[in-house]
Amino acid sequence: MAPDDTSAAASGYVQPDIDVKALAGLLDGEYAEIRDLVRTNLGAHASVLEDAERLGMDAFRERVRDIVVEMAGTGQTGMGFPTAYGGGDDVGASVAAFETLAFGDLSVLVKVGVQFGLFGGAILHLGTARHHDAYLADLVAGRLMGCFAMTETGHGSNVQALGTVARYDAEAQEFVVTTEGDAARKDYIGNAAHHAELAVVFAQLEVGGEAHGVHALLVPLRSGGEVVPGVEIEDDGRKMGLNGVDNGRIRFHGVRVPREALLNRFADVTADGTYVSSIDNPNRRFFTMLGTLVQGRVCVGGAGVSVAKVALTLAVKYAVRRRQFEASTGASSASGSAGASGASGASGASGAEEQLLLDYGLHQRRLLPLLARTYALHFAQDTVRGQLHEVFTGDDDPQARRRLESRAAGTKALGTWQATRTVQECREACGGAGYLAVNRFAALKADSDVFTTFEGDNHVLLQLVAKGLLTDYAGEFEDLDQLGMVRYVTGLAVETVIEKTSVHKLLERVRDLLPGGDEWDREAGLLDSEYQLAMLRYREEHMLAGLARRLKAGVDRGRDPGAVFSRVQDHVIALAHAHVERLVLESFVEAFKTHPDGGNKVALGLLCDLFALSTIEADRAWFMEHGRLTVQRSKAISREVNDLCRKIRPLAVDLVDAWAVPPGLLRAPDLLA
């Protein structure tokens, strides 16, 4: 217990004993076996963390490729593919493996993601038996390296507007793939610069002079290690991070591929040049095609959470061994940066022992709410991974697929933002020692920063989340662009928009459970999970109603729907963020409630309360502006957050140990020795 934890003792609080092994088992869940395999592989290749600094870029790229192929040989990377092709036939296990792989070098992680998630996933989900039989076995084994050529210099998130064109030549029964201008150049394509032999290329399909929208084709890039005629490849060069991944730019100059190169699960072209598809609506066809690739977003979001775990493990362990200032003098006498002098247990001038960093209230405030939020996002990731597994292995349910796409988008955004924020805060919390490359923060920061951009810019993804809320995933969901969404919403009564959403029904049920009638939020206990959930549900519902009213008011005044949407984009993002935070808390509360009684459950309860109250505290201005938080109650929440931090402080090391980051990957002698 922290030295000043008198309030906890006075209240009868008893510090729980944590069973680290049991808690680690809970966190690993049903995928403990595959996670342990990944940890073993990470340990065997831990030297790659040093290679990233020691080797030149070309040599490091080869090292990363070799590790990826070796890992493929253990079965780790192929869990999501059918057993007939050497896979494990388990989508959930493949995501769990990827999450765990993010404890190690992130160039290896991204190389795995490109090869098996993007390239392999596109062939698996967009192709048919002819493609599976031809490529999957070699792909899963690492014998065939490929890339996923979607992004263009002029088009990133707006995939429907891609400029690469694939025109069908009926006489030759071939597609002619052409890069039409520099804006249509494929860019930032992982594996392209050196290793990919085959590319999944997304292009505008033209048949008989008629455009049919974006489709994917398999296009050879190299043969025998040499770039094939008609393909031009340029190395993107050194990046901010992830320099073990060979990103490149690709141009196609009339490259011909056979008709069978079209990945034809959702559409095909017959030999005589007839376009056929089981989905008549082109927008729905496009979104159905992209929806099959949602696993990438789920994986990147989970990887972000794992990066936060590594950073917190380093910072927490450092904070319980590094001493700074005598407790009686505090930091007011500081004349330099904390940690810059290295690890020190030396006494101050008076001979009194200096205080551990994590015993300072401010240090607890900096790290422990991040720890709680990382736990919360872990359980939210469990939820979205489970939904992904159900959607991809169960019956095709369009509504379930839309909800998954929305949840995956939101969880990815919050998970990757958490990584960026946590790495920075933990680096600062380790002072000058955190700035040394050997202590991992330099690589974590440089390599994970782009996660907020991978698989869709986070702000664009949150607009997808809001779209689902506004339309309640209506049958027209795939047909609605931004303008269509505005028109759809303004065609409904605001009350209809609210009534159509599940959040409204949940809030009404919660209100019935809480005392105080309309004062429900002022009467309930701060540590009551129903109160915490109700606050987040109220915020979400209020934002949804406000957004619908703003959209309707703008259109009713005769404004252009596009301009109306542009004016409310800040509101759109705020709504989506509030929605996803509510989902995260629900996942955490559910995990806590179903856990058996004991010290681990008490610890999870403390973390859940800290996540919920620190989330409300962070947005206290909104709650106060909307009459759901008094000044007195706001201050009480801050006091409770401080008290929760003091209670969690003596548990912090056990809580990060339960994440089971392999010791060989921490590689931080200045922080942990």
Side-chain angles (χ1 to χ4, degrees), residues 127-452:
T128 53
R130 71 190 188 203
H131 307 106
H132 300 168
D133 292 343
Y135 302 111
L136 284 187
D138 286 341
L139 184 159
V140 170
R143 293 186 294 268
L144 171 67
M145 301 296 287
C147 65
F148 183 85
M150 177 182 280
T151 301
E152 295 179 354
T153 303
H155 295 97
S157 297
N158 189 10
V159 178
Q160 279 183 294
L162 293 178
T164 303
V165 177
R167 295 183 176 89
Y168 185 63
D169 180 345
E171 184 176 347
Q173 295 191 29
E174 293 174 331
F175 290 101
V176 183
V177 182
T178 305
T179 300
E180 303 208 334
D182 285 343
R185 175 187 62 182
K186 298 298 180 183
D187 213 343
Y188 322 116
I189 309 302
N191 271 5
H194 286 283
H195 296 144
E197 302 163 60
L198 187 67
V200 173
V201 177
F202 289 81
Q204 302 287 350
L205 195 71
E206 289 187 9
V207 181
E210 183 178 354
H212 292 282
V214 173
H215 291 64
L217 307 91
L218 292 171
V219 181
L221 298 184
R222 291 179 176 86
S223 178
E226 298 297 323
V227 177
V228 301
V231 174
E232 180 184 349
I233 298 178
E234 178 185 350
D235 198 321
D236 273 318
R238 186 167 289 277
K239 307 180 294 291
M240 178 176 169
L242 298 176
N243 285 301
V245 182
D246 52 318
N247 294 81
R249 303 183 178 101
I250 312 172
R251 291 181 176 86
F252 302 99
H253 302 290
V255 177
R256 288 180 171 268
V257 294
R259 180 177 64 88
E260 292 78 11
L262 180 69
L263 295 176
N264 63 332
R265 177 180 174 187
F266 299 111
D268 207 349
V269 175
T270 64
D272 63 359
T274 302
Y275 179 84
V276 293
S277 175
S278 58
I279 305 174
D280 292 333
N281 184 291
N283 282 336
R284 188 161 299 153
R285 184 189 313 126
F286 172 76
F287 282 106
T288 299
M289 176 184 72
L290 289 193
T292 64
L293 307 177
V294 69
Q295 183 173 337
R297 285 178 183 162
V298 176
C299 284
V300 172
V305 177
S306 292
V307 167
K309 291 176 180 178
V310 176
L312 282 163
T313 299
L314 292 168
V316 166
K317 286 178 175 288
Y318 182 63
V320 297
R321 63 171 291 274
R322 176 68 158 94
R323 295 184 181 275
Q324 186 84 310
F325 303 111
E326 296 172 36
S328 59
T329 61
S332 60
S333 62
S335 59
S337 65
S341 59
S344 172
S347 301
S350 66
E353 187 173 41
E354 292 182 289
Q355 186 160 318
L356 290 171
L357 291 181
L358 202 55
D359 286 340
Y360 286 105
L362 178 59
H363 215 77
Q364 294 170 14
R365 266 284 193 161
R366 294 175 70 183
L367 296 183
L368 300 186
L370 291 175
L371 188 151
R373 190 176 184 87
T374 300
Y375 261 84
L377 287 165
H378 172 99
F379 291 115
Q381 180 69 12
D382 282 350
T383 300
V384 74
R385 187 194 321 107
Q387 290 179 349
L388 176 78
H389 189 81
E390 290 175 7
V391 166
F392 276 71
T393 59
D395 296 331
D396 185 25
D397 180 348
Q399 280 283 97
R401 178 173 54 80
R402 291 172 189 141
R403 288 192 295 270
L404 168 64
E405 291 167 11
S406 175
R407 185 158 194 152
T411 304
K412 183 267 179 183
L414 265 62
T416 55
W417 272 330
Q418 173 73 354
T420 299
R421 175 188 174 194
T422 301
V423 169
Q424 179 63 26
E425 192 65 52
C426 289
R427 204 292 301 157
E428 292 184 30
C430 292
Y435 201 62
L436 300 177
V438 71
N439 294 329
R440 282 211 68 183
F441 285 112
L444 285 174
K445 185 177 179 67
D447 290 344
S448 69
D449 197 70
V450 76
F451 285 11
T452 60

Side-chain angles (χ1 to χ4, degrees), residues 505-521:
K505 302 175 183 64
L506 288 167
L507 180 58
E508 289 303 315
R509 187 166 72 247
V510 170
R511 278 179 172 158
D512 293 340
L513 295 174
L514 294 175
D518 194 47
E519 300 299 311
W520 56 269
D521 54 338

Side-chain angles (χ1 to χ4, degrees), residues 58 62-63 69 88 96 110 121 139 235 241 265 288 342 369 517 520 580 604 628:
D58 289 342
E62 295 306 313
R63 173 76 171 123
V69 173
V110 172
L139 184 159
D235 198 321
R265 177 180 174 187
T288 299
W520 56 269
V580 181
L604 289 174
R628 290 300 166 183

